[in-house]
Amino acid sequence: MKYFYIFIFYSTFLYSTSFNFELKAIKLSNNSYYFYGKEEYFSVKNGGDISNTAFIITKNSVILIDTGSSYEYGEEVKKKIKQITNKPIKYVINTHHHPDHFLGNNAFSNSEIFSTEFTKNEIAKNGDLYIANLNNLVQGAMNGTKIKVPNEILKSNELNLDGYKLKLFYLDGHTKSDLVIYDENTKILYAADLVFNKRTLATPHANIPDWIKSLEKLKKINYKILVPGHGKIDRTKNAINEDIAYLHYLDNTLKNSARNGFDIFEILARPIPKEFESFTMFKEEFERSIINLYPKYEKRRMKN
């Protein structure tokens, strides 16, 4: 009897620590949905729910695009999808190696998990460091999170999953490998973190010129709905142009500041340009970008 009560205690404790993300599947078309991630930085309060994930229901299966920041997030995604369809989540696609997009992988251990080779290698190499970092930032919501490396490497420009075809674009700029998925059946473009819709762009691994080139390529795709990695969906086709404008602004600000010998504090004291006042997290992400990127611009200026 003693062990029975101990079992009940620990079962209750484990249940009570499950994080409730309160996810809602937002319908995009007859067979396509996305979960909108909060436009915030990682915190105990949001449990790491800061990026978008999406799914497509095919004739016999479900294709999931990205898995969020943790095992618990992935488990809640599974429950929400099951409320819509009983078809199995047979396929998962990781768009890139940032932790808010793949750390839910181990909730889908029975699925085929696709990514580029670069993304797979980065997950294998740095995944445990990401978990340790997020354990500090979001704490309990990381329960059960373990590294699950993709087991299928993408190489072709088309993916045929149970007869459902998707177009793939291998781009870069936000990271060294950014996968974009285009569903011609619904004309929905899953742009991952190459596009942030009215949410200031995050640049920890950015190459700004390459990012702008990738966005120029995305503009040529005949999509009706764009699902960004962060921010709400875009039906107006403005999001890409706004992101290009922001990247040019960031690049020019850094170049001019290095040319004039400004320090980081002088750059951060600049007012927010009117065209970006509607962007969420401008102050936080602009500051992160300046701290991450400015030393390279200063070094380049000193060489010239």
Side-chain angles (χ1 to χ4, degrees), residues 78-125:
K78 279 200 301 192
K79 289 175 186 172
K80 296 298 178 182
I81 292 176
K82 199 170 183 180
Q83 290 173 2
I84 297 171
T85 177
N86 284 323
K87 294 174 184 177
I89 304 170
K90 290 174 66 176
Y91 310 106
V92 170
I93 302 173
N94 290 153
T95 59
H96 62 294
H97 73 278
H98 284 167
D100 49 327
H101 294 266
F102 78 86
L103 279 179
N105 279 4
N106 71 319
F108 305 93
S109 294
N110 296 324
S111 306
E112 291 181 55
I113 303 179
F114 295 83
S115 78
T116 65
E117 187 166 11
F118 177 87
T119 296
K120 175 190 174 183
N121 291 338
E122 286 295 309
I123 289 173
K125 181 181 175 184

Side-chain angles (χ1 to χ4, degrees), residues 203-205 264 285 287-296:
T203 62
H205 299 111
I264 286 177
E285 291 294 0
E287 182 175 320
R288 283 179 72 202
S289 293
I290 298 303
I291 292 170
N292 285 332
L293 300 176
Y294 193 48
K296 295 177 185 174

Side-chain angles (χ1 to χ4, degrees), residues 93 114 154 156-161 164-168:
I93 302 173
F114 295 83
L154 293 166
S156 64
N157 295 324
E158 186 175 276
L159 191 58
N160 188 335
L161 302 173
Y164 199 90
K165 294 180 181 178
L166 296 169
K167 278 195 167 184
L168 303 178

